[in-house]
Amino acid sequence: MVNGTPHEVAATTLSKALTELGFHDGRFATAVNEAFVPAALRDAQALQPGDRLEILSPMQGG
């Protein structure tokens, strides 16, 4: 699941999944199974079948 939508990814780490899903610039927050994952730890964050990813981009304005 990515942001509540089912997705199939072949990647085994969060950073590889982000690349596979088209997130390249790194200007977003990530969570796996509702636990925040800092950008510096994305390479080490292993993914398992059924994991839930949240990818949030900052928004400007008010």
Side-chain angles (χ1 to χ4, degrees), residues 11-33:
T12 57
T13 66
L14 178 56
S15 64
K16 290 179 182 176
L18 292 169
T19 299
E20 187 176 330
L21 292 165
F23 291 89
H24 302 288
D25 71 4
R27 296 182 56 111
F28 43 81
T30 55
V32 175
N33 299 324

Side-chain angles (χ1 to χ4, degrees), residues 2-3 7-8 10 12 21 28 30-31 33 36 38 42 48-49 53:
V2 178
N3 294 343
H7 282 273
E8 293 272 339
T12 57
L21 292 165
F28 43 81
T30 55
N33 299 324
F36 173 71
R42 291 175 185 160
Q48 302 296 321
L53 309 181

Side-chain angles (χ1 to χ4, degrees), residues 57-62:
S57 298
M59 303 209 38
Q60 293 182 337

